[in-house]
Amino acid sequence: MRLTSFTDYGLRMLMRMAAAPEQAFSTAELAEEFGLSRHHLAKIMQRLAQGGIVETRRGGGGGAVLARPADQIRLGALVRLLEEGQPLVECFASGGDCSLDGRCRLKARLRAAEAAFLADLDRSTLADIALAREAAVAPNKEPDLRTAP
């Protein structure tokens, strides 16, 4: 199964946010850290907010924070939310074309494989994949040595 870049970037953002749950993150900050389009990340953040995964705040000190602890956010739920509207194969889409309709024995197996994939992800949480705090510092940024022991 191949995930879209939308999901890939969304998971990366959430892994970073889970590493510092007390910090609010702006999409501009995350875009710079990951070297990605701010506009694209804003769309992803919007989907995550609509799905109740993050809360966003405007103004000074604003940004996005996790809406609940990372250990309460299942990976399968994240992938379902971020992949919404992206069927595994075209015939899964509503009104999807299938030249083998009525003769295809692959569709049921693909649905079972997709369900097994998501069920496996449901066994893990965002906390399980959160970046380590030291790894969360972007490679192009210097760590703040004033707080180092």
Side-chain angles (χ1 to χ4, degrees):
M1 179 159 186
R2 182 177 176 97
L3 299 176
T4 61
S5 60
F6 191 88
T7 299
D8 178 26
Y9 300 158
L11 292 172
R12 286 189 221 182
M13 288 171 34
L14 291 167
M15 290 165 59
R16 175 65 176 98
M17 293 172 71
E22 69 288 344
Q23 181 180 343
F25 291 88
S26 72
T27 52
E29 176 183 18
L30 291 167
E32 181 181 334
E33 185 172 323
F34 293 126
L36 301 171
S37 160
R38 179 179 177 198
H39 181 69
H40 193 56
L41 292 189
K43 288 181 183 180
I44 297 167
M45 194 66 79
Q46 182 179 25
R47 170 91 52 93
L48 292 170
Q50 290 169 342
I53 303 300
V54 300
E55 294 175 350
T56 58
R57 303 176 195 140
R58 292 184 181 263
V65 295
L66 296 177
R68 57 187 185 275
D71 65 355
Q72 295 177 16
I73 301 172
R74 297 271 162 206
L75 295 182
L78 293 176
V79 170
R80 284 181 193 90
L81 175 65
L82 293 167
E83 287 287 308
E84 189 175 305
Q86 300 297 321
L88 180 61
V89 290
E90 186 176 334
C91 63
F92 283 10
S94 63
D97 291 331
C98 180
S99 60
L100 301 174
D101 200 26
R103 300 177 290 153
C104 180
R105 296 184 298 192
L106 178 61
K107 191 173 186 176
R109 287 176 174 81
L110 290 176
R111 282 218 189 271
E114 181 180 40
F117 174 76
L118 292 168
D120 187 66
L121 288 175
D122 281 332
R123 292 197 240 338
S124 300
T125 67
L126 180 57
D128 296 327
I129 64 166
L131 296 177
R133 283 195 178 269
E134 57 275 359
V137 175
N140 60 347
K141 292 184 180 178
E142 293 295 322
D144 186 356
L145 299 178
R146 294 173 292 172
T147 59

